[in-house]
Amino acid sequence: MKTLVLDANQIDVAAEILQNGGVVGIPTETVYGLAADALNGAAVAKIFEAKGRPMDNPLIVHIADFADIKRFGLAKEIPASAEKLAKAFWPGPLTMIMKRTDVVPREVSAGLDTVAIRFPSHPVAQAIIKAANTPLAAPSANLSGSPSPTTARHVLNDMDGRIDAVLDGGASEVGVESTVITLATETPRVLRPGGVTVEELREVLGEVEVDDAVLHRLAEGAVAASPGMKYKHYAPKANVLLLKGSDDAFIDYINAHAADDVCALCCDEDLLLLRTKTVSLGRRGDYLTHARHLFDCLRRMDENPTVHTVYSRLPSTEGVGLAVYNRLIRAAGFEVIDLASL
Ligand code: AMP
Ligand code: MG
């Protein structure tokens, strides 16, 4: 199958492919999604095949209006907390989990009794959902296990020949996947950190829990609240090591370990100080920019076959920093070197 590359004025072409049960890579403000008609189980099954995604990992359903939840009959009931969150953060990088109806095919919910729903803010994403006139199931448009795509080129690198089309809507602005919060538990609980921060969610809802799997390796045999958390994720080919310590200790450690196959995932201020290959996430402390650049940086390092070891700072867990932390700690297989204890 040849993958069509469409631009933003070819929404009607993409919509027709989706209505005929095809799969299209679409831009969103978080990362690019691999979309199919969420109400067509056979179409949704093609997403799993194209990605090589385990069938027990459910998908997010994308809508173009809060009222679409009711219009398409996706949820058993809409909790009051969902209305509050929608007012504050939709359209935007927040996914809400609620009890599903039987309208949601089992391919989407992967056997769970819940459904994850998001209303994206990207104008092209909204236009394609409206033109297809159906909710779109869409996970990130990468091969399972590789970094999420934030440009149409990233999608083609992974998916050329595996999907019908990709719609180019420019680079994703948030750069990491949506925050996932479940409203199906007694206290709302964040299952995955993203562009909407835990601090912001607490301002609207009061008490919000953060699932253990956000910060820590899942215990052997434990059941993941969000099935995606149990899989090896965001894994570049190189060995990623996270360094915990001061800026000076970070620079000194990397320079002491400088070698041809070493690359530092660093900040702009470090570039002149490091004597290794470098890829910068942005200015120190600018977590929004780090999130936007993270996956592109990981892919760029992967494209360099001489890079075998990547050193990075252990990210902050504050604000959007938590989303970067969550991705990098997985990329590093939870390995952290504490520079203060050396
Ligand atoms: P992706 O679309 O690649 O960003 O992955 C979607 C994420 O949302 C995965 O981590 C899924 O496990 C999670 N997810 C989707 N639906 C549900 C659900 N009903 N309950 C819990 N987690 C979900
Ligand atoms: Mg993904």
Side-chain angles (χ1 to χ4, degrees), residues 31 51 53 57-60 62 95 97-98 108-109 112 114-116 138-140 142 148 177-178 180 191-192 225-229 233-234:
V31 300
K51 275 182 68 91
R53 183 177 174 105
N57 194 1
L59 306 182
I60 295 169
H62 293 74
T95 296
I97 293 176
M98 42 196 107
V108 171
S109 59
L112 300 176
T114 50
V115 60
S140 51
N142 51 291
S148 295
E177 305 86 339
S178 59
V180 176
L191 303 182
R192 177 176 75 184
S226 180
M229 288 291 188
H233 243 193
Y234 320 114

Short mmCIF file of all heavy atoms in Angstrom, two decimals, residues 31 51 53 57-60 62 95 97-98 108-109 112 114-116 138-140 142 148 177-178 180 191-192 225-229 233-234, ligand 1:
data_model
loop_
_atom_site.label_atom_id
_atom_site.label_comp_id
_atom_site.label_asym_id
_atom_site.label_seq_id
_atom_site.Cartn_x
_atom_site.Cartn_y
_atom_site.Cartn_z
N VAL A 31 0.85 15.00 19.93
CA VAL A 31 1.73 14.31 18.98
C VAL A 31 0.84 13.91 17.80
O VAL A 31 -0.37 14.09 17.86
CB VAL A 31 2.39 13.05 19.62
CG1 VAL A 31 3.23 13.42 20.83
CG2 VAL A 31 1.36 11.99 19.98
N LYS A 51 0.76 -0.42 13.83
CA LYS A 51 1.70 -0.03 14.89
C LYS A 51 2.46 -1.21 15.48
O LYS A 51 3.49 -1.01 16.13
CB LYS A 51 0.92 0.62 16.06
CG LYS A 51 0.63 2.08 15.91
CD LYS A 51 -0.09 2.60 17.15
CE LYS A 51 0.75 2.62 18.41
NZ LYS A 51 1.49 3.85 18.64
N ARG A 53 0.90 -2.85 17.83
CA ARG A 53 0.52 -2.55 19.21
C ARG A 53 -0.19 -3.74 19.83
O ARG A 53 -1.06 -4.35 19.19
CB ARG A 53 -0.42 -1.33 19.21
CG ARG A 53 -0.88 -0.83 20.59
CD ARG A 53 -1.74 0.41 20.35
NE ARG A 53 -2.38 0.96 21.52
CZ ARG A 53 -1.97 2.08 22.13
NH1 ARG A 53 -0.91 2.72 21.73
NH2 ARG A 53 -2.65 2.56 23.16
N ASN A 57 -4.00 -2.96 24.76
CA ASN A 57 -3.69 -1.57 25.10
C ASN A 57 -4.73 -0.66 24.43
O ASN A 57 -4.70 -0.47 23.22
CB ASN A 57 -2.27 -1.23 24.62
CG ASN A 57 -1.76 0.07 25.22
OD1 ASN A 57 -2.45 0.71 26.01
ND2 ASN A 57 -0.56 0.45 24.84
N PRO A 58 -5.68 -0.11 25.23
CA PRO A 58 -6.82 0.62 24.64
C PRO A 58 -6.42 1.94 23.99
O PRO A 58 -5.34 2.46 24.24
CB PRO A 58 -7.72 0.86 25.85
CG PRO A 58 -6.81 0.84 27.02
CD PRO A 58 -5.71 -0.12 26.69
N LEU A 59 -7.33 2.47 23.18
CA LEU A 59 -7.06 3.70 22.41
C LEU A 59 -7.89 4.87 22.95
O LEU A 59 -8.93 4.67 23.56
CB LEU A 59 -7.44 3.49 20.95
CG LEU A 59 -6.80 2.30 20.24
CD1 LEU A 59 -7.25 2.27 18.78
CD2 LEU A 59 -5.29 2.35 20.34
N ILE A 60 -7.41 6.08 22.66
CA ILE A 60 -8.15 7.29 23.02
C ILE A 60 -9.11 7.64 21.88
O ILE A 60 -8.72 7.58 20.71
CB ILE A 60 -7.17 8.45 23.30
CG1 ILE A 60 -6.33 8.12 24.54
CG2 ILE A 60 -7.92 9.77 23.48
CD1 ILE A 60 -5.15 9.05 24.77
N HIS A 62 -11.19 10.47 19.95
CA HIS A 62 -11.09 11.92 19.76
C HIS A 62 -12.41 12.48 19.22
O HIS A 62 -12.96 11.94 18.25
CB HIS A 62 -9.95 12.24 18.80
CG HIS A 62 -8.60 11.91 19.38
ND1 HIS A 62 -8.15 10.61 19.51
CD2 HIS A 62 -7.63 12.69 19.90
CE1 HIS A 62 -6.95 10.62 20.08
NE2 HIS A 62 -6.61 11.86 20.33
N THR A 95 -7.01 13.92 28.44
CA THR A 95 -7.86 12.78 28.13
C THR A 95 -8.57 12.35 29.40
O THR A 95 -7.94 12.20 30.45
CB THR A 95 -7.01 11.61 27.59
OG1 THR A 95 -6.42 12.01 26.36
CG2 THR A 95 -7.84 10.36 27.37
N ILE A 97 -11.11 9.54 31.31
CA ILE A 97 -11.62 8.17 31.24
C ILE A 97 -12.92 8.09 32.03
O ILE A 97 -12.99 8.55 33.17
CB ILE A 97 -10.58 7.19 31.81
CG1 ILE A 97 -9.36 7.17 30.88
CG2 ILE A 97 -11.16 5.79 31.97
CD1 ILE A 97 -8.23 6.31 31.36
N MET A 98 -13.95 7.55 31.38
CA MET A 98 -15.24 7.34 32.05
C MET A 98 -15.84 6.00 31.66
O MET A 98 -15.32 5.33 30.77
CB MET A 98 -16.19 8.51 31.78
CG MET A 98 -16.22 9.04 30.38
SD MET A 98 -17.01 10.68 30.30
CE MET A 98 -15.61 11.75 30.03
N VAL A 108 -11.45 -0.81 20.70
CA VAL A 108 -11.07 0.49 21.26
C VAL A 108 -10.80 0.37 22.75
O VAL A 108 -9.80 0.89 23.25
CB VAL A 108 -12.19 1.54 21.01
CG1 VAL A 108 -11.91 2.82 21.78
CG2 VAL A 108 -12.32 1.84 19.52
N SER A 109 -11.68 -0.31 23.47
CA SER A 109 -11.57 -0.33 24.93
C SER A 109 -10.70 -1.49 25.43
O SER A 109 -10.39 -1.56 26.62
CB SER A 109 -12.96 -0.43 25.56
OG SER A 109 -13.60 -1.59 25.11
N LEU A 112 -11.76 -3.33 28.57
CA LEU A 112 -12.06 -2.59 29.82
C LEU A 112 -13.51 -2.09 29.76
O LEU A 112 -14.11 -2.01 28.68
CB LEU A 112 -11.11 -1.40 29.97
CG LEU A 112 -9.61 -1.73 30.04
CD1 LEU A 112 -8.78 -0.46 30.09
CD2 LEU A 112 -9.32 -2.60 31.26
N THR A 114 -14.30 0.90 30.45
CA THR A 114 -14.18 2.37 30.38
C THR A 114 -13.75 2.78 28.97
O THR A 114 -13.30 1.97 28.18
CB THR A 114 -13.10 2.85 31.38
OG1 THR A 114 -11.93 2.07 31.19
CG2 THR A 114 -13.57 2.72 32.81
N VAL A 115 -13.88 4.10 28.72
CA VAL A 115 -13.41 4.65 27.45
C VAL A 115 -12.65 5.95 27.75
O VAL A 115 -13.02 6.71 28.64
CB VAL A 115 -14.58 4.89 26.47
CG1 VAL A 115 -15.61 5.86 27.04
CG2 VAL A 115 -14.07 5.41 25.11
N ALA A 116 -11.57 6.17 27.01
CA ALA A 116 -10.75 7.39 27.16
C ALA A 116 -11.15 8.36 26.05
O ALA A 116 -11.20 7.98 24.88
CB ALA A 116 -9.27 7.03 27.06
N ALA A 138 -7.48 7.13 18.08
CA ALA A 138 -6.13 7.43 17.60
C ALA A 138 -5.10 7.32 18.72
O ALA A 138 -5.09 8.13 19.63
CB ALA A 138 -6.09 8.83 16.99
N PRO A 139 -4.21 6.34 18.62
CA PRO A 139 -3.03 6.32 19.49
C PRO A 139 -1.93 7.14 18.79
O PRO A 139 -2.14 7.62 17.66
CB PRO A 139 -2.65 4.85 19.52
CG PRO A 139 -3.04 4.35 18.17
CD PRO A 139 -4.25 5.16 17.73
N SER A 140 -0.78 7.29 19.41
CA SER A 140 0.33 7.97 18.76
C SER A 140 0.74 7.20 17.50
O SER A 140 0.68 5.97 17.47
CB SER A 140 1.49 8.09 19.73
OG SER A 140 1.79 6.83 20.30
N ASN A 142 3.37 6.24 15.98
CA ASN A 142 4.70 5.62 15.88
C ASN A 142 4.57 4.10 15.88
O ASN A 142 3.51 3.57 16.26
CB ASN A 142 5.54 6.03 17.10
CG ASN A 142 4.79 5.76 18.39
OD1 ASN A 142 3.81 6.43 18.68
ND2 ASN A 142 5.23 4.77 19.15
N SER A 148 7.21 8.83 20.16
CA SER A 148 6.02 9.34 19.48
C SER A 148 6.42 10.36 18.42
O SER A 148 7.40 11.07 18.58
CB SER A 148 5.08 9.98 20.50
OG SER A 148 4.60 9.00 21.38
N GLU A 177 2.47 13.30 24.75
CA GLU A 177 1.09 12.86 24.68
C GLU A 177 0.25 13.50 25.78
O GLU A 177 0.78 14.01 26.77
CB GLU A 177 0.98 11.33 24.79
CG GLU A 177 1.81 10.55 23.77
CD GLU A 177 3.23 10.32 24.23
OE1 GLU A 177 3.71 11.07 25.12
OE2 GLU A 177 3.85 9.39 23.70
N SER A 178 -1.09 13.41 25.61
CA SER A 178 -2.01 14.08 26.55
C SER A 178 -1.87 13.55 27.97
O SER A 178 -1.47 12.41 28.20
CB SER A 178 -3.45 13.85 26.08
OG SER A 178 -3.73 12.46 26.00
N VAL A 180 -3.55 11.86 30.95
CA VAL A 180 -4.69 10.94 31.06
C VAL A 180 -5.15 10.93 32.51
O VAL A 180 -4.36 10.63 33.42
CB VAL A 180 -4.33 9.51 30.61
CG1 VAL A 180 -5.51 8.56 30.82
CG2 VAL A 180 -3.89 9.48 29.15
N LEU A 191 -3.18 8.98 35.28
CA LEU A 191 -2.51 7.75 34.87
C LEU A 191 -1.30 8.04 34.01
O LEU A 191 -0.39 7.21 33.92
CB LEU A 191 -3.49 6.87 34.07
CG LEU A 191 -4.78 6.49 34.78
CD1 LEU A 191 -5.61 5.57 33.90
CD2 LEU A 191 -4.50 5.82 36.12
N ARG A 192 -1.31 9.21 33.35
CA ARG A 192 -0.16 9.60 32.53
C ARG A 192 -0.06 11.12 32.55
O ARG A 192 -1.05 11.79 32.28
CB ARG A 192 -0.37 9.12 31.09
CG ARG A 192 0.76 9.55 30.16
CD ARG A 192 0.61 8.98 28.76
NE ARG A 192 -0.43 9.66 28.00
CZ ARG A 192 -0.82 9.29 26.78
NH1 ARG A 192 -0.27 8.25 26.20
NH2 ARG A 192 -1.76 9.96 26.16
N ALA A 225 -3.12 0.33 35.83
CA ALA A 225 -4.41 1.01 35.67
C ALA A 225 -4.54 1.48 34.22
O ALA A 225 -5.61 1.47 33.64
CB ALA A 225 -4.49 2.20 36.62
N SER A 226 -3.42 1.90 33.64
CA SER A 226 -3.39 2.27 32.23
C SER A 226 -2.49 1.25 31.54
O SER A 226 -1.28 1.26 31.75
CB SER A 226 -2.82 3.68 32.09
OG SER A 226 -2.80 4.04 30.74
N PRO A 227 -3.08 0.35 30.74
CA PRO A 227 -2.29 -0.76 30.20
C PRO A 227 -1.02 -0.30 29.49
O PRO A 227 -0.01 -1.01 29.51
CB PRO A 227 -3.27 -1.42 29.23
CG PRO A 227 -4.61 -1.10 29.78
CD PRO A 227 -4.49 0.27 30.36
N GLY A 228 -1.04 0.91 28.88
CA GLY A 228 0.13 1.40 28.15
C GLY A 228 1.36 1.51 29.03
O GLY A 228 2.50 1.42 28.56
N MET A 229 1.16 1.72 30.34
CA MET A 229 2.27 1.95 31.26
C MET A 229 3.14 0.72 31.47
O MET A 229 4.27 0.82 31.94
CB MET A 229 1.74 2.41 32.62
CG MET A 229 1.22 3.81 32.62
SD MET A 229 2.56 4.99 32.39
CE MET A 229 1.68 6.51 32.67
N HIS A 233 8.50 1.70 26.60
CA HIS A 233 8.02 2.85 25.84
C HIS A 233 9.16 3.76 25.50
O HIS A 233 10.17 3.78 26.18
CB HIS A 233 7.04 3.62 26.73
CG HIS A 233 5.66 3.64 26.19
ND1 HIS A 233 4.70 4.46 26.68
CD2 HIS A 233 5.08 2.96 25.20
CE1 HIS A 233 3.58 4.29 26.02
NE2 HIS A 233 3.78 3.36 25.11
N TYR A 234 9.00 4.59 24.48
CA TYR A 234 9.91 5.70 24.26
C TYR A 234 11.35 5.24 24.34
O TYR A 234 12.17 5.84 25.01
CB TYR A 234 9.67 6.81 25.31
CG TYR A 234 8.23 7.03 25.61
CD1 TYR A 234 7.70 6.75 26.85
CD2 TYR A 234 7.39 7.50 24.61
CE1 TYR A 234 6.35 6.94 27.10
CE2 TYR A 234 6.05 7.69 24.86
CZ TYR A 234 5.54 7.41 26.10
OH TYR A 234 4.23 7.59 26.34
P1 AMP B 1 -1.50 6.56 23.07
O1 AMP B 1 -2.77 6.74 22.31
O2 AMP B 1 -0.42 5.88 22.33
O3 AMP B 1 -1.09 7.87 23.65
O4 AMP B 1 -1.91 5.63 24.25
C1 AMP B 1 -3.10 5.86 24.97
C2 AMP B 1 -2.84 5.68 26.42
O5 AMP B 1 -4.08 5.82 27.13
C3 AMP B 1 -2.28 4.32 26.74
O6 AMP B 1 -1.32 4.43 27.77
C4 AMP B 1 -3.52 3.56 27.19
O7 AMP B 1 -3.17 2.48 28.03
C5 AMP B 1 -4.31 4.65 27.89
N1 AMP B 1 -5.76 4.36 27.89
C6 AMP B 1 -6.61 4.42 26.84
N2 AMP B 1 -7.86 4.04 27.21
C7 AMP B 1 -7.79 3.72 28.52
C8 AMP B 1 -8.74 3.25 29.47
N3 AMP B 1 -10.02 3.03 29.16
N4 AMP B 1 -8.31 3.03 30.74
C9 AMP B 1 -7.02 3.26 31.08
N5 AMP B 1 -6.07 3.70 30.22
C10 AMP B 1 -6.45 3.93 28.96
#
